[in-house]
Each structure stands twice: as C-alpha cells, then as structure tokens.
Amino acid sequence: MTLVPRTRGGTALAVALALALPTAVAVAAPASTVPTPPDATTSAGPPADLDAMFVGAHPDDEAGTLSTFGQWGADHDVSTGVITITRGEGGGNAVGPEEGPALGLIREREERAAVAKAGITDVYNLDEVDFYYTVSQPLTAQVWDHDETLAKTVRILRQTRPEVLVTMNPAPSPGQHGNHQEAARIAIEAYRAAADPSRFPEQITKEGLQPFAADRIYLRTANGTSASGPECARRFVPADPSQTVHGVWSGTTSPDGRSWAAVERDAQRVYASQGWAGFPDVSTDPAQLGCDYLTLVDSRTPLPQWGTAAAWTNHAPLDGSLLAIPGGLPLGAGMTVDSDRFRVQPGAPFTVTVGASAPAGTPLGTSTARLELPDGWTATGDGALGSIAAGARATTTFTVTAPADAAAGSRVRVKAFVDAAGGTGYQDEPVLVSAPVTATQQLLPQVEQFRRWTGEVDAEALADIVRPVLTLASGGSRTVAVVVTNHSAAVQSGTVTPRPPAGFTMSPASAAYAGLAPGASTTVTFTATNTDTSLRTSVEGGAAGDYLYTIETTSSGATGTTQQAFELVPTAVVPQASNAPSVDGVVSAGEYAGPVLDVSRRWEGQACTSTADCSATAQVTWRDDTLFVAVTVNDDVRGTPLAASDCKRHWRTDSVEIAIDPRGTSENTSTTFKAAILPWTAEGGPCHLRDADAHQGDGPATAPGMKVASKVTEPYTGYVVETSIPMSLLPSAVDPAHMGLNVLPYDSDTQDKTGQTRIGWSVWGGVQGDPYRWGDVSLEGYVPPAGRPTTPADPVIPTEALQSLDSPQSVEQAVRTNVALAGRPSSSPDEAAWVEKAKVRGDEVEVRLRVGDAGTAHVVVEDDAGIAGRLVVPVSGSRTGLVVLTVPLSRPLGAGASVLLGWDDGAGGTFSSVATPK
C-alpha cells in the first residue's frame, strides 16, 4: 500500500506556528581549521547516562507510571528518561485551536512539565507523525518507517545506556492503539538490537557508539486479577502463572508528604490539551490505592526469587540490576536462562541453558547452576560453570523432561539458581506444555502477524495475550478456517472437533486430518451459524462481548484444547427509498423504510444516567447511489459549541460519527469512510468532517457532495442530524450483501471541550478503529455502478509533525544531555554549526555562528514569556567560517532570554547550541 501524504498548504512550520519565517542564504567564510565545539553551550561532549527509560508513542503514555518512576528516583536515585516517538499531533486539543506541529509544541511542553513532577528531565522525541487513531500496528510501522524509528531508538539507548526499560503493550488487543503496539515492538526489538554489533553497525563504526545490553525490559501492563492497598503486589494473580509481574504500590509517601499516586495525578492534570485538567483527586485512603504492574519480557541479570517476599517490593524491578539483592550475586553480574523451545511436549526432552557472567572488577569464582522444577519433572546435567573470572561468562546446559502425564496447556516456570562464592543468583524461564497437535480458528491478520513477531523476537510467552476472535452477523453464517499445527517430532493424524457456544452451530461436527508432518500446519474448514437470534450482540453479549468456545484436537499422544471466541455484530437489511429523503434534519413519515437501529449501547466513558441523558436511534436507506442516514439523539445538556473553523476532533463535544466499510473486509480504517457531524457550531448551523479514514479533513473538501442538516429541539432535549453520502465518495465499491456500518453518537455535558460518554450501534472498546466489529448491513436491491473499483485507493495520511530542530525545549535538552535531536546522529565538528555570541540590536538579535559546512540553521530567540523571534535559514559554504544572522523580534526581550540553534547538516546529523544575548 502506498501512502499519500496530506498537507494543508504552505510549509508545515509556517502553518503550525502562524509565523512567516524569514529565510535567507548565508555564506560561510572559508577558514583553514575546524575548531572544537564548546561542551558547555553545545551538544558536544559525553552523553547523559540514565538508569531507566520508558518508551511510548505519545506524550502522556508514561503518565500512568509516573508514581513508579518518581519513587524510584526519590528512594533509589534512579534517573529515568522517556522516549516519545510522536508529539501527539493527531490527538485532541481542549485548550485552543492549534493542530499539527503547533499542537505538538504544546503537547511536548505538557509532557516535560508533567514528567518533571516525577523528577524526569530527559524526554527524547523521535519526530514521527501521530497521524490519527488507528488500531493497526502494520499501518503505523509503515507510516513511521519501522526500521528508521528502530535505528533512532537504538542510537538513544546506546548513548544513554539505561539498565531498565519499560514500554507499552505490543499486542493487537481489541481497541489497542496501533501506535502503542508499534512503540512497544520497537522498544523490545531495540532491547535486543542495541546489544548486537551487527545491528546498525554504522552507529559503531562511524559514530563511535558501543553496543549496549540493557539489563531487562518490562511491559507497563499485566493480565490478571489485581488488588488495592499496600499488598497489591503480593496479591496480584497473573492470568499466566509463568509470567513475572512486579507491582509498585502508588501509596508510598513522596518527598512532599503526599502519596505518589497524588503526585502522579497532579502530573496527569498537566495534560490539559487532552482534557485531563479536571481529573479528580485520588483517594487519601491507602487501602484504595493500587499498584503499577510491570510484566517482565526479558532479563539478562539475576532477579528477586519469584514466590518470595523479595519479589513483592516496590524496588523488585530494579533488584539485581540497579540495586544489589541481599545474599545474591554481586551487582553487575549477569544471569540468563534459555530454553531451546517455548512449547514443550510431555515426555519429550528439551534443553535449558543457564549462563552467568562476573562484573568487570569482581570474579564469581567457582560457580554451579541448578534447576528447580515442578513435581515429576526431571533434569540431567551437572550444572558446572567452572571458575568465572572478572568480566568472564560461562554457560551450562541441562536436559529437562516433563512427565508423560503433564497437563497439556499448562504454563510452567523453570527456576534456575547460580551458586557462587559471593552469593546465589536466581532467574527463570517460562515454558508451555503443549499437546502434540493443537488447532485454532483463523486469526485476524494483525493477530497472526503479532504471533509471528513474538517468535522472531524470542518473546513467545506473549503470543497468547490476544484471544482468537471472529465476528459473526446475528443470525448469519460464516466459513471458519481452523489451522491445525503439529508441535511434535512425529507424523500425526487425528480429528478436530469444535465445541460451539450455546446458540451457535458448527458443521461438520468434526473433521479429520492425516499425515501431518512435524512442525507443519494444515487447514480444515467449518461453517459457523448463529442459530439463536435472541442472543445479545456487541459488548452486551457473552463474556464482555465474547461467546467463548473450545476446539479439541486428537493426536497419537493427547487431546489438545484451545479456547476461541465469536463476537456477534448487529445486522440490518436496508431497502431502497421510494423517494430520496430530504436532508433537512426532520425525519418525515415514510422517508426511511428500513429498521430503526438502537444506537444507545455504551462503548466508552461514563454510563448514561437515563435515556434523556444520552440515547439515540438511527435510520438508514439508499436511493440512486446515495446513502441516507438520520440519527435522533436524546440529550439533556448541550456540549461546547465549536467555531465552524474548528470543525475537527469531534470527540470534544456533542457529535455523531458515521463509519462505513464498503466491502466489510477492511483491516483498519485507512480503507473506510468515517464522517462526523457536529449538530451546531458557534455560528449556529452544523458542520461535518472526515476523521481517521482514507482521507481526513474538512467535510466539504474531503467529501464533496455530502450533505448534512440538523434540527435542535427548543427547549433542549436533543437533536436530529441527517446526511446524504454519495457512495462514489467511499474508498471502493460497496458489497451490497456485507457493507460494514456503525453509528456512534458522542455525548458531552461540559463546556471545557471534553466528552463524557460514547454510545453506538455495534460497540466494543476502541470500536471506531475496528471495522471488523462494525454492524453488517445489506443494501437490498443495490448494484454498484459498473467499473467502480472494488480495491480501495491508497489512503491519504497526515504527515505533518513538529521537528525537534524547531523545538526550543528539545534544543535546550540536547545541549544539556549531549544527545543529538530526534535520535539522529550528531554532526561531526566539520559539519556542525553553533552560536558563538548573540547581541540585541533594537528590534532584532544579531547571532554570530561558527559554521563548519553547509546546512540549515533553525534559530529561536526566547525568554521567560515564550518565543520572541524565529528564523530558519540555509547556510552555504565550505570548511569552517563565521556567519552573522539577524533574527527579527516580535516584541522586546524580557528576563531569561536565550538564543537557541538547531543545526541540520543536511546529511542526517544535527547539532544544538545555546547562547545568552547581550
């Protein structure tokens, strides 16, 4: 898929900052020598050395973990940094009309102020675009250029060398932001790549960096049953008993006497642009405060022993890495446990390798490894590691066998210990006891891709985070391909038997497979039918929307059982209208012959207090290649009237979103049509827009021919919005039998541009990004015009993002930390430029630069009140010379004035400097 970038006209920076940036070409005078940049005022010098790093996609992604980072810093002097891949330009803005790069500048400022409350000063922005809400990691990876973003992350890790990494959830859980998934995958890949000299070798050979192996990496999430109060770490029960999940209680006391949970809440309120300023106070009752849970992905150092009190402390994630474990191996020692496979067979041997390494200055001496296994499991191997000298590493291998009657499907923790002269180290490795053959229903493409990825990065224990789910139209049927896989070392034959949930059938009742080679997969096919049309659809059906069932697979060794799920989506048959409805905001008798759709189910936010507070119905029909939709909304308080020029980010006020998947097969919204209608504006009438779809923006520009109307009741009890959508606007021709449709009203009862409740027709968390969960509609009698393509055109993707070169805060940080902007290389001295001196001359500032080679100068003059002048100017010349630039001021300078230079050398590198104007 080719992505078509979206621009708004003019330069992105000029639009973002509403500034006409003066430009000129300055020529550097030749010089015979290249001076050394001064360390104190430029980004030259040794980079900052950190202890921990959070990797997220947007400003505020770290906000739910700030109590942890804050207390680690206060109690253990842990310095933490944050890598933020985007500045969140695709998010909302509850504080003003800014969008694009200008919003990115606001959100960066918010993030730096928020994390500062937890003692964090270093935020590394990677300058990727936050293009819109999507649940698609593959789309995100393409827009961000996965390999480039990974390289930038690796470079920052090799520079700052943090021992403990924390990131987000990499799995495509339903509704999970695709940007979050990609950020987590980049973090996990960077954890491994930064230690590998064969990955991004130019960083080593050309930039002088060294490979760096962080000690461990955690996900800032956990699956299981949690609890509140000081015992929340010990009382957490992981859904997977082989996972290591540490809890950091937020109720401990911060230096200001309040709980760290209260400090974190103050930090969260800083994100005013995201509508967080009004977040309520946290409880002052310690029993009501919970833990931040961290799930271990991998560790290269000893851990606190699982199942002991040492694993439940607030500093457990640091122990063995940044903090010494009492009685453990000396700090700086390494320890690993690796199985040659994650999925093991009952009665079949597999190997486990235990490794240990001594700190550079401390030998471990004669060392021995041993395993602790569940009852009935056996291990052979003497565990001898020999005498491990300072800086040396040794390994030993065990052959482990699960008993023949080990329960298939059970997850087991293989515990390992290393006994050395100075103490004992602990590590463990999760394994899954598997039946010889298992089967699973066809995976959604993103889930299949995620499972493949977990194998590629040696994180298979994460593969089952996402339950296999397929949607089924209420009362409908679908073909279900079931993939059968042989995990054993022998050829297998047997049967596959699905056990469908009540109200469903699957035919045939069973299917055979034969001659399946070791490691191979085959597919058997069933037809699933929802026979009980009274079953509730959407999130109201089954277990939180999932109708659970199992698939049993027999083989020569055992029966494998896996859990699957169906999700029911509502359906409707939409007839052709005898006459085209009038788009006037009034639903007249006979205009809409189709069914009345209930769009009152809550999918996000506060519960509606009554039908008068928030409820709605929708009616749909078609005529002459045009779709007509009318939505009647009951509401008791009008949300913020936005200016017609601010008709965007519709979730900030009352609105209705209409989502159409023409073929009913879209993997993400980039091949759909999503329009939002605001029933009123500050000027009075309605407005409309497209959002997070194949072409976003102002409605009249991106959806020419679409008509909207609204009728607001007086006295106010709600409104009606009505629209006609030419089907020629859709990204592809409609499949009349299976068009995806959703209608999603947004309710806001505030005047601060924040929403309270989202309701709709077919709803789950994040459903606006999950086209496969939208309702199933057939357009009775409709035939698309001949020649209309069934393959969607390439989507238009926003690509505007603030660059760190134009961020004063990023330039200031680069000077302070000596880490180049945006994860890019640092310019060499003969390619760099920096400010030597600056002088105020009336209504302008004269800036003298020392310049090595050609590049572009991004100059900002600011004071305590903000930016007072800005200049972007290309500089040409060869060798080192002096250049004088003149930066016009928009106002007189006040206290705290400084001149900042972000230098782009044109070859990928950047350099930063700062000076105080005289």
Side-chain angles (χ1 to χ4, degrees):
M1 176 173 62
T2 301
L3 306 178
V4 181
R6 186 191 76 189
T7 60
R8 295 189 179 98
T11 67
L13 187 62
V15 173
L17 302 174
L19 294 171
L21 301 181
T23 61
V25 176
V27 180
S32 58
T33 61
V34 178
T36 300
D39 188 0
T41 58
T42 75
S43 54
D49 190 301
L50 298 174
D51 299 317
M53 185 77 81
F54 177 85
V55 181
H58 317 101
D60 75 36
D61 283 346
E62 78 295 315
T65 321
L66 289 178
S67 66
T68 290
F69 297 139
Q71 64 179 290
W72 284 354
D75 296 347
H76 307 291
D77 199 27
V78 172
S79 59
T80 299
V82 177
I83 294 175
T84 301
I85 296 177
T86 81
R87 286 182 173 81
E89 294 94 341
N93 185 0
V95 297
E98 296 87 354
E99 59 181 332
L103 177 56
L105 200 61
I106 291 171
R107 295 200 65 183
E108 179 186 351
R109 189 179 304 120
E110 289 177 337
E111 181 175 33
R112 291 184 181 277
V115 301
K117 293 182 181 295
I120 297 173
T121 59
D122 296 359
V123 178
Y124 301 95
N125 294 104
L126 299 191
D127 293 0
E128 299 302 327
V129 64
D130 178 29
F131 51 100
Y132 58 64
Y133 174 80
T134 178
V135 297
S136 175
Q137 180 274 336
L139 180 64
T140 304
Q142 185 174 2
V143 173
W144 286 357
D145 188 333
H146 177 89
D147 288 348
E148 177 187 285
T149 305
L150 175 61
K152 293 194 288 187
T153 304
V154 167
R155 181 177 286 110
I156 291 175
L157 296 185
R158 286 173 171 171
Q159 290 172 312
T160 60
R161 306 177 74 80
E163 283 81 3
V164 177
L165 306 184
V166 181
T167 190
M168 312 188 77
N169 181 358
S173 304
Q176 158 87 320
H177 202 312
N179 288 184
H180 295 172
Q181 297 172 48
E182 172 69 353
R185 296 192 203 184
I186 284 172
I188 293 169
E189 291 182 38
Y191 167 81
R192 304 195 186 284
D196 185 350
S198 70
R199 299 298 306 277
F200 309 111
E202 69 283 355
Q203 296 180 7
I204 299 168
T205 59
K206 294 182 179 180
E207 300 173 34
L209 302 179
Q210 295 297 316
F212 172 69
D215 288 345
R216 59 190 59 158
I217 182 168
Y218 290 95
L219 305 184
R220 188 213 62 184
T221 186
N223 290 335
T225 304
S226 60
S228 297
E231 294 294 304
C232 54
R234 183 184 61 80
R235 293 170 60 193
F236 182 83
V237 180
D240 174 359
S242 69
Q243 277 190 333
T244 295
V245 179
H246 293 302
V248 182
W249 185 47
S250 63
T252 55
T253 303
S254 73
D256 70 5
R258 298 179 301 153
S259 70
W260 275 108
V263 175
E264 178 179 278
R265 179 50 51 90
D266 275 358
Q268 291 169 339
R269 288 175 178 141
V270 172
Y271 290 104
S273 70
Q274 303 310 293
W276 292 14
F279 276 10
D281 290 344
V282 300
S283 176
T284 56
D285 178 2
Q288 301 303 311
L289 301 177
C291 275
D292 292 340
Y293 292 109
L294 302 177
T295 299
L296 183 69
V297 178
D298 189 55
S299 178
R300 298 179 171 114
T301 56
L303 296 165
Q305 184 176 343
W306 188 254
T308 70
W312 318 136
T313 68
N314 283 0
H315 53 75
L318 309 176
D319 291 347
S321 170
L322 296 170
L323 303 176
I325 300 175
L329 299 179
L331 196 62
M335 183 176 174
T336 57
V337 185
D338 296 295
S339 169
D340 68 343
R341 68 201 68 185
F342 170 66
R343 191 182 290 266
V344 302
Q345 302 290 304
F350 62 99
T351 61
V352 172
T353 301
V354 179
S357 60
T362 306
L364 291 184
T366 301
S367 304
T368 304
R370 54 189 167 88
L371 300 183
E372 184 178 296
L373 301 167
D375 290 343
W377 290 56
T378 62
T380 59
D382 62 13
L385 291 164
S387 181
I388 305 178
R393 173 177 168 80
T395 62
T396 187
T397 300
F398 297 88
T399 299
V400 180
T401 306
D405 61 353
S410 60
R411 291 174 179 260
V412 172
R413 188 188 299 267
V414 175
K415 299 180 179 181
F417 300 84
V418 169
D419 298 312
T424 296
Y426 169 86
Q427 260 271 27
D428 56 41
E429 174 83 345
V431 295
L432 169 65
V433 180
S434 174
V437 180
T438 61
T440 185
Q441 68 183 15
Q442 65 193 73
L443 299 174
L444 295 169
Q446 289 186 40
V447 177
E448 182 176 19
Q449 187 263 356
F450 169 68
R451 290 195 174 185
R452 185 168 57 251
W453 173 83
T454 63
E456 293 168 354
V457 299
D458 193 25
E460 289 178 280
L462 303 177
D464 291 330
I465 288 178
V466 186
R467 177 186 293 147
V469 170
L470 290 175
T471 53
L472 189 62
S474 178
S477 297
R478 69 167 296 160
T479 298
V480 178
V482 173
V483 180
V484 186
T485 302
N486 181 3
H487 309 288
S488 75
V491 175
Q492 297 286 349
S493 299
T495 58
V496 180
T497 305
R499 307 292 185 189
F504 296 79
T505 62
M506 294 184 74
S507 61
S510 185
Y513 71 95
L516 188 60
S521 295
T522 189
T523 300
V524 294
T525 302
F526 297 86
T527 298
T529 302
N530 170 223
T531 55
D532 182 356
T533 56
S534 69
L535 291 178
R536 298 180 75 86
T537 64
S538 191
V539 75
E540 296 175 343
D546 288 352
Y547 288 93
L548 304 176
Y549 77 101
T550 58
I551 297 178
E552 298 174 358
T553 309
T554 63
S555 62
S556 61
T559 297
T561 302
T562 58
Q563 188 175 77
Q564 322 288 311
F566 289 129
E567 293 182 340
L568 280 180
V569 299
T571 63
V573 177
V574 174
Q576 180 177 200
S578 55
N579 294 291
S582 298
V583 181
D584 53 9
V586 177
V587 180
S588 303
E591 276 192 307
Y592 293 84
V596 176
L597 309 180
D598 178 6
V599 295
S600 300
R601 298 183 180 93
R602 181 174 67 95
W603 61 276
E604 194 170 84
Q606 301 173 7
C608 300
T609 59
S610 65
T611 56
D613 175 32
C614 51
S615 61
T617 58
Q619 293 166 271
V620 186
T621 192
W622 68 275
R623 179 80 189 182
D624 299 331
D625 202 34
T626 299
L627 196 69
F628 296 85
V629 183
V631 185
T632 302
V633 177
N634 300 311
D635 182 30
D636 57 355
V637 178
R638 293 176 63 160
T640 311
L642 302 179
S645 60
D646 193 24
C647 188
K648 56 182 75 79
R649 301 187 297 273
H650 56 283
W651 52 86
R652 297 175 294 160
T653 188
D654 293 314
S655 62
V656 171
E657 184 174 64
I658 298 168
I660 301 171
D661 179 8
R663 312 294 300 171
T665 57
S666 289
E667 176 63 16
N668 60 73
T669 59
S670 69
T671 52
T672 71
F673 177 96
K674 288 173 72 257
I677 302 169
L678 278 60
W680 54 76
T681 59
E683 291 81 358
C687 69
H688 65 292
L689 64 136
R690 291 178 64 177
D691 173 72
D693 67 352
H695 189 186
Q696 317 85 56
D698 176 66
T702 60
M706 178 179 173
K707 299 178 181 178
V708 300
S710 69
K711 191 75 171 180
V712 181
T713 61
E714 294 294 347
Y716 184 73
T717 58
Y719 58 89
V720 175
V721 293
E722 196 171 12
T723 182
S724 63
I725 303 170
M727 286 189 262
S728 59
L729 293 176
L730 306 183
S732 58
V734 165
D735 176 356
H738 293 290
M739 185 185 81
L741 175 70
N742 224 341
V743 179
L744 303 162
Y746 292 66
D747 180 50
S748 172
D749 293 343
T750 75
Q751 298 305 304
D752 62 0
K753 299 181 183 178
T754 58
Q756 275 68 56
T757 308
R758 301 179 183 185
I759 57 178
W761 185 38
S762 183
V763 301
W764 281 269
V767 71
Q768 84 273 37
D770 284 328
Y772 74 95
R773 292 164 132 187
W774 297 351
D776 186 279
V777 167
S778 61
L779 300 185
E780 192 174 57
Y782 174 73
V783 178
R788 182 168 293 169
T790 57
T791 300
D794 290 332
V796 176
I797 301 291
T799 56
E800 293 175 335
L802 178 69
Q803 299 301 294
S804 292
L805 288 159
D806 296 311
S807 165
Q809 294 181 99
S810 290
V811 173
E812 288 172 345
Q813 176 180 295
V815 172
R816 175 174 52 80
T817 65
N818 295 328
V819 176
L821 297 169
R824 292 167 61 179
S826 178
S827 302
S828 62
D830 59 351
E831 296 173 320
W834 59 92
V835 180
E836 281 201 336
K837 62 176 63 176
K839 186 175 183 62
V840 180
R841 296 188 182 279
D843 60 355
E844 59 189 24
V845 174
E846 184 180 275
V847 181
R848 175 173 166 167
L849 304 185
R850 174 69 65 176
V851 179
D853 206 343
T856 302
H858 296 246
V859 186
V860 171
V861 181
E862 66 171 3
D863 57 20
D864 291 343
I867 296 174
R870 185 185 288 272
L871 178 71
V872 176
V873 54
V875 176
S876 65
S878 61
R879 303 296 297 162
T880 305
L882 293 176
V883 170
V884 176
L885 303 177
T886 300
V887 182
L889 296 175
S890 60
R891 57 174 173 78
L893 283 178
S898 62
V899 175
L900 299 114
L901 170 67
W903 175 258
D904 185 345
D905 64 21
T910 71
F911 201 73
S912 300
S913 62
V914 63
T916 301
K918 305 298 185 183

